[in-house]
Amino acid sequence: MSLHAWVVAGGESPEPALLEELAPPQLIVAADSGADVALGLGLKVDVVVGDFDSVTPAGAAAAPEQRRFPTDKDATDLALALAEARDRGAESLSVVGGSGGRLDHLLANVAVLAGDELASVRVDALMGSARLWVVRRRATIRGSVGGLVTLLAHGGPAAGVRTTGLRWALAGETLAAGSSRGVSNVFAAPEATVTLESGVILAIRP
C-alpha cells in the first residue's frame, strides 16, 4: 500500500467536515504552527518541522518527534515539512491549511506544491474552503454539479490538455502560463478528469 501523508500548515484552519474529502493519512507532518491547527482539528501529528517561531508549546509538545531548523534558512516551514513527508516515503500527500495571512506566504505555498522537488509525488490540498490538485499527467477532481473549478498552467505552458466532466471541455489544447482562459469552468458531473502531455496544471475549486 502506498504511503499517503497529510502535511498540516499554519494559517486558516479548514472546516473539519471538509477533511472527509481527503484520503486518510498514514503519516501526519506539521509545519511549525500547523501543529496548533492539527490540535484544533483533533489530529495526531507524528512530527513537527520548522523553526518553531510560531508554534505554541502545547502544539510542539503534542508530537512525538520534532525537527528544528534555524530561523535564518532558505526554505519555508511548509517546504521543509513537505520534504520530510516525501523523504519518509510518501508517494502522495494532502496539504491541510496554508491559506489566510500574508499573500506572499500563500503564493509561495502554492508554488512549492507545484515545484520540481515534489514531481514524483501526487499532491492535493485543502486550503481554507478551497480545494487544489496539482496535475502533472492525470488527476481526478471532484465537486458539485454546477460548481466552479479553475485550471491554471503553472511555471510554463501546459500542453495536450484534455478534460472530461466539465462544461467547457479541452481536447488536446495548450494553456499558457499567465492566461486566464481556464478560470471559472464548471463541473458537469460530480467527478471530472484532467490529463496533459507536458507541464503542470493547478486545478482549483474555490
Side-chain angles (χ1 to χ4, degrees), residues 83-175:
E84 182 75 16
R86 181 202 61 204
D87 293 346
R88 288 180 180 232
E91 297 178 34
S92 60
L93 59 84
S94 297
V95 172
V96 177
S99 66
R102 288 169 47 177
L103 176 60
D104 56 341
H105 279 181
L106 175 60
L107 293 175
N109 288 347
V110 173
V112 166
L113 296 186
D116 291 342
E117 291 190 1
L118 295 178
S120 63
V121 182
R122 297 186 304 277
V123 179
D124 61 41
L126 177 61
M127 294 180 162
S129 60
R131 194 79 162 82
L132 180 149
W133 295 264
V134 179
V135 189
R136 297 186 185 275
R137 283 293 178 267
R138 185 183 193 281
T140 299
I141 62 177
R142 296 173 179 85
S144 301
V145 174
L148 295 176
V149 62
T150 286
L151 305 180
L152 297 176
H154 178 83
V161 182
R162 298 179 182 275
T163 64
T164 66
L166 299 181
R167 179 181 296 174
W168 293 288
L170 297 174
E173 298 169 62
T174 295
L175 292 180

Side-chain angles (χ1 to χ4, degrees), residues 53-82:
D53 68 339
S54 55
V55 65
T56 66
E65 292 185 56
Q66 300 176 359
R67 290 207 61 206
R68 294 177 179 264
F69 290 81
T71 301
D72 295 332
K73 58 189 188 304
D74 294 331
T76 63
D77 293 327
L78 178 59
L80 294 170
L82 290 165

